[in-house]
Amino acid sequence: MLLALGAYLTMQYLTGGNGTPKCTVVSADDEKTSYEFTPEQAANAATISAVGTSRDLPERAVTIALATALQESGLRNIAHGDRDSLGLFQQRPSQGWGTERQIQDPVYAAGEFYEHLAKVSGYERLPLTVAAQKVQRSGYPDAYAKHEPDATLLAAALTGRAAATLTCEGRRETSATTYGGGPEAVRSALARDFGDKMFDTAGAVVKPARFAASATTSTASGAPPATGASPTPAVSALTIPVSDAGGADEVRRRGWELAHWAVANSSRLGVERVTYAGREWVAEGRAGAWRKAAAAGGSTAEVRIVTGR
């Protein structure tokens, strides 16, 4: 009974208490300020941010979009709602937002939101709830305001302004995913969220590299693997160059945007490690946080994404 209790408590510790993987975003200025959410919500938030930045929209636009999606759907791509409302933003086919299939495509839905937001004169200077309401025409116009603090944290991380502030446990989703896994899945998801233009703008031709540890590779402790031990599984890596256009600050911001995007999609795409600017994130349960990387991972010129396939 004691052994069973110990195993249960260990599992509760590793999984955060309920067995459900989670993601966390913290403030770059005050680590006590944080927001916890699920991998599904993280991936949808990353898509919303990527669509906004790929349109060269400011961080404020991303914050407004994230707060709106938090209110309308809880950052979940749901297939139901009030009357014929659907998707992340609860857009309605009958009101000209698109077909049901289009609205349930997160990239399309986010694009439609931003297209309408951009037509709101001076939206960057408006209170968030006013800007969101001018797009949504909601029956509860003040509801968006309560999500502004969490949306602000998310936008700072996902646009890359706040470095190493978004982490996820990284455990693989058990259900079928949109892309599967491996470097090609990551490449497809990047192109879908950011658009093919992103790779041209960033000078980023994704370079897949397959490698596997040999039988003589040392373990983390420095000792060789025991005789008969299973070889380290092969992994695949994508190296994404970050353009030097715009100066050092812009490079770092772009790099952290891509790095955080990869972490947010780690459960969906099987991402096991992300390295950027001397920091690395490794998917290992509750400990999946950013930490100092090996010397080889210190470049700000590229983001390295490692998958388990």
Side-chain angles (χ1 to χ4, degrees):
M1 290 179 65
L2 289 174
L3 288 173
L5 177 60
Y8 171 78
L9 292 174
T10 299
M11 182 60 67
Q12 293 297 294
Y13 174 79
L14 291 174
T15 62
N18 60 9
T20 303
K22 67 179 180 181
C23 298
T24 305
V25 61
V26 300
S27 169
D29 303 317
D30 174 16
E31 291 189 359
K32 294 181 180 180
T33 303
S34 64
Y35 171 61
E36 289 187 359
F37 52 132
T38 68
E40 176 194 2
Q41 292 172 306
N44 287 329
T47 293
I48 290 170
S49 178
V51 173
T53 60
S54 68
R55 293 175 175 232
D56 296 322
L57 294 173
E59 183 180 330
R60 180 62 174 173
V62 174
T63 300
I64 296 168
L66 289 170
T68 301
L70 279 166
Q71 169 60 27
E72 297 290 355
S73 67
L75 278 173
R76 294 178 175 87
N77 191 23
I78 54 180
H80 56 81
D82 178 42
R83 288 169 284 190
D84 60 338
S85 299
L86 296 167
L88 289 170
F89 296 92
Q90 289 291 279
Q91 294 156 335
R92 299 178 60 191
S94 64
Q95 300 300 307
W97 286 95
T99 66
E100 291 184 8
R101 183 174 181 178
Q102 287 175 323
I103 290 171
Q104 289 195 272
D105 174 353
V107 172
Y108 174 89
E112 285 295 295
F113 179 87
Y114 286 124
E115 183 174 328
H116 285 73
L117 180 65
K119 295 176 182 177
V120 176
S121 178
Y123 72 84
E124 291 182 66
R125 300 184 299 276
L126 293 175
L128 183 145
T129 190
V130 173
Q133 174 62 4
K134 285 183 177 294
V135 175
Q136 296 294 108
R137 307 295 182 184
S138 169
Y140 304 93
D142 298 324
Y144 305 106
K146 65 178 178 285
H147 299 290
E148 185 167 4
D150 295 334
T152 299
L153 287 180
L154 281 170
L158 291 170
T159 62
R161 178 171 62 82
T165 53
L166 188 149
T167 63
C168 290
E169 291 182 359
R171 282 182 284 156
R172 189 66 183 273
E173 290 180 359
T174 56
S175 59
T177 62
T178 303
Y179 301 103
E184 288 307 313
V186 176
R187 171 67 174 84
S188 295
L190 276 165
R192 179 177 179 272
D193 281 7
F194 289 95
D196 289 327
K197 178 184 176 183
M198 186 276 287
F199 296 102
D200 297 330
T201 302
V205 178
V206 179
K207 303 174 183 177
R210 186 120 185 124
F211 57 92
S214 68
T216 59
T217 300
S218 297
T219 62
S221 64
T227 302
S230 299
T232 303
V235 295
S236 299
L238 298 176
T239 300
I240 309 176
V242 182
S243 171
D244 59 2
D249 288 344
E250 185 61 29
V251 169
R252 280 187 171 272
R253 183 163 184 152
R254 189 59 159 168
W256 279 113
E257 177 182 15
L258 293 169
H260 282 153
W261 177 93
V263 172
N265 282 279
S266 57
S267 291
R268 179 177 293 182
L269 297 172
V271 174
E272 295 185 353
R273 183 185 302 265
V274 181
T275 306
Y276 182 66
R279 306 289 292 277
E280 70 177 2
W281 167 90
V282 181
E284 46 186 34
R286 183 181 284 257
W290 288 96
R291 61 194 183 191
K292 185 177 180 180
S299 173
T300 59
E302 62 185 31
V303 176
R304 187 172 178 83
I305 302 171
V306 176
T307 70
R309 294 184 185 178

